Structure formats: structure tokens, C-alpha cells
Amino acid sequence: MGSMEPNVAALERRVRGCLCDFGFEVSPLKVGWYNAVLQPSFHLQYSEDTLAFIVLSTPSMFDRAFKPFVDKQLLKKINDPVDQCVSYHLSLVKESLPNQRVDIIYDYEILPNRKPKFLAQTAAHVAGAAYYYQRKDVRCDPWGEKKIYGVCIHPRYGGWFAIRGLLIFPDVQVPFLEQVAPVDCVASEEKRIELLEKFNFHWRDWSYRDIIEVKERYSEEQKAYFGAPPAERFKLLEVQG
Ligand code: GSH
């Protein structure tokens, strides 16, 4: 049966305690908020009051978690260093809560039908972590028949962050959790059009990430790393031997 609310506060502190020092940001949500805005084929199969946390990596994750993680691999060539680093840290959350059932879904996981296991941007939006700007947020759009992808913008980091995963606590029910709206940081029609144009047609130059004034962005080293094709990334890291 579901836990009581005070335990939820302790649980949230524990999750934050595991992740925040490593440059991750965590926001709680109910599975029901997520399911409510999606078609049934995307629903997560948990009851609607189930507690989950959306996990973002902020710019400091690169120095606080990723580089130390790569150092510890002692020059082993690992295949998906970023994904492995994230999964290492999310596994530590699970290990630190041995009496809790915790399901983890990563942003890159897909189903046999090639659909993503969860829609990360929708989850971030309903959790209040980052505003998911979509074509429908623009009243008078100029794009005709074109397929326009939406993008999340964070009030502190603009587009300089990534959504990494969802932690779900199937045995923890939070009927009283209050939903917080994401900050609508790209409020004007013109800016929203500019954002979606940049993201869809000029995504390579990353200018969409600076659509708002940001508090923190990726370092030059981090930009070079993520800007390089995966096969050429390893040599860009100054790995301490
Ligand atoms: N699978 C590779 C790894 O694990 O190293 C590549 C991971 C990767 O580069 N992911 C991108 C990323 O983290 C897409 S989510 N980009 C950071 C960003 O776009 O802000």
C-alpha cells in the first residue's frame, strides 16, 4: 500500500541528496499528470497517484559526474559513456533505497515498436521542470505542411540541459502532491516562433539553447564534446591517467 506523506518528503530528500551534487536536477510528478495529456498508447502502466521524478542533467553534470566517471573507467573504452554515467548515478539512488521498489526509464529507451518508452519532454513539462514549447503554443504559425518538433526550455539553463530519465516509485502513492506549472520563459509569440525555427531548421548551431538569457551554459569543452561525433569524443576529454 501507499506510503504516508511525511515519508514522501524523506524520499524526495534522499533522491535529491544522491543526485544534486552531481549536477542533476530532480522534479517530482504523479504518473496521472503525465498520462492525462497523452494518448493511451503512451500511458505508463501505474496508478495515477504514483510518485515519479524526472531527472535532468544541468551544465555542471559534465564536470561533477561525467568526467570523474570517465576517469574511474581507467581508460577503458566504454561504448556509451554518457548514458552509462547517468545509469550509474540513477542506480545509486536505487541502492540507497533498498526497501523501495524503484523503476527507472532512461530517455534513450525504445519499445519494440520503436516508440520511446516515455516522452521525456512531456514528463518534464507536467513536472514543472522545463516548459515544452510545441507548435500548438504558437497561434499563427508559418510552417504549413512541415513537421515541427517541440523543444523544452529551462528557466535557468535555456536549452543547455538534457532530460535523462524517469524514476518511478510504484509503491508510493501521492494523492496530495501539488502540480507546479513550468515557467513560461519564452512567453511572446515572436520568440516562440524563433525558438521553433531555430530548433527545427538550425539545430546544428545550438542557437535555440540561448533563446533566453541563461544563468549557466555548457563550457567550451562540453560543447566540443557533445558537438563531436561519438567516435571522436573520447580524445577530447582530458582524462587523468
Ligand atoms: N550514447 C552516447 C553516450 O552515452 O555517450 C551519446 C550520448 C549523447 O551524446 N547524448 C546526447 C546528449 O547528452 C543526446 S541526449 N546531449 C547533451 C545535450 O544535447 O545537451
Side-chain angles (χ1 to χ4, degrees), residues 57-85:
S57 59
T58 75
S60 67
M61 187 279 279
F62 194 75
D63 284 335
R64 295 189 189 183
F66 183 62
K67 294 212 294 183
F69 177 81
V70 171
D71 278 353
K72 270 195 301 224
Q73 306 305 306
L74 295 170
L75 301 173
K76 255 188 285 168
K77 272 228 171 174
I78 41 178
N79 273 329
D80 290 292
V82 176
D83 298 343
Q84 280 185 239
C85 170

Side-chain angles (χ1 to χ4, degrees), residues 57 61 66 78-86 107-108 159-164 206 208-209 218 222 225-228 230 233:
S57 59
M61 187 279 279
F66 183 62
I78 41 178
N79 273 329
D80 290 292
V82 176
D83 298 343
Q84 280 185 239
C85 170
V86 171
D107 67 303
Y108 51 80
W160 301 102
F161 73 100
I163 306 168
R164 298 301 182 179
W206 286 355
Y208 79 90
R209 298 187 193 239
Y218 290 179
Q222 182 167 188
Y225 184 85
F226 283 116
R233 287 177 172 181

Side-chain angles (χ1 to χ4, degrees), residues 3-197:
S3 310
M4 307 302 288
E5 294 289 278
N7 295 344
V8 172
L11 190 62
E12 185 166 341
R13 272 199 304 278
R14 175 67 63 90
V15 172
R16 287 187 199 284
C18 287
L19 292 173
C20 293
D21 288 348
F22 294 98
F24 295 98
E25 194 177 277
V26 171
S27 309
L29 67 144
K30 280 200 226 184
V31 168
W33 302 343
Y34 173 87
N35 286 349
V37 297
L38 292 171
Q39 300 162 358
S41 66
F42 282 109
H43 286 185
L44 295 170
Q45 300 304 311
Y46 301 91
S47 58
E48 66 174 71
D49 288 333
T50 304
L51 176 66
F53 294 93
I54 187 79
V55 179
L56 314 180
S57 59
T58 75
S60 67
M61 187 279 279
F62 194 75
D63 284 335
R64 295 189 189 183
F66 183 62
K67 294 212 294 183
F69 177 81
V70 171
D71 278 353
K72 270 195 301 224
Q73 306 305 306
L74 295 170
L75 301 173
K76 255 188 285 168
K77 272 228 171 174
I78 41 178
N79 273 329
D80 290 292
V82 176
D83 298 343
Q84 280 185 239
C85 170
V86 171
S87 98
Y88 169 74
H89 282 279
L90 297 194
S91 308
L92 290 183
V93 175
K94 199 165 164 158
E95 278 171 35
S96 93
L97 292 161
N99 301 320
Q100 281 296 345
R101 204 145 64 93
V102 188
D103 292 344
I104 307 178
I105 313 179
Y106 295 98
D107 67 303
Y108 51 80
E109 289 188 280
I110 52 168
L111 296 163
N113 65 10
R114 311 216 24 97
K115 281 188 185 172
K117 281 200 181 170
F118 82 109
L119 299 180
Q121 306 202 93
T122 300
H125 185 93
V126 300
Y131 202 111
Y132 182 27
Y133 291 98
Q134 295 170 271
R135 184 174 191 162
K136 67 175 168 60
D137 296 309
V138 171
R139 262 171 318 226
C140 217
D141 84 51
W143 299 302
E145 301 287 281
K146 288 191 187 126
K147 164 88 183 147
I148 298 293
Y149 293 93
V151 60
C152 273
I153 296 296
H154 187 288
R156 277 183 68 83
Y157 311 118
W160 301 102
F161 73 100
I163 306 168
R164 298 301 182 179
L166 191 65
L167 295 170
I168 304 164
F169 291 83
D171 298 328
V172 182
Q173 303 298 303
V174 285
F176 303 112
L177 190 65
E178 280 193 41
Q179 191 165 13
V180 189
V183 179
D184 181 4
C185 44
V186 186
S188 75
E189 175 92 351
E190 296 71 34
K191 275 283 173 194
R192 289 178 180 188
I193 291 174
E194 184 186 337
L195 172 64
L196 292 179
E197 296 257 333

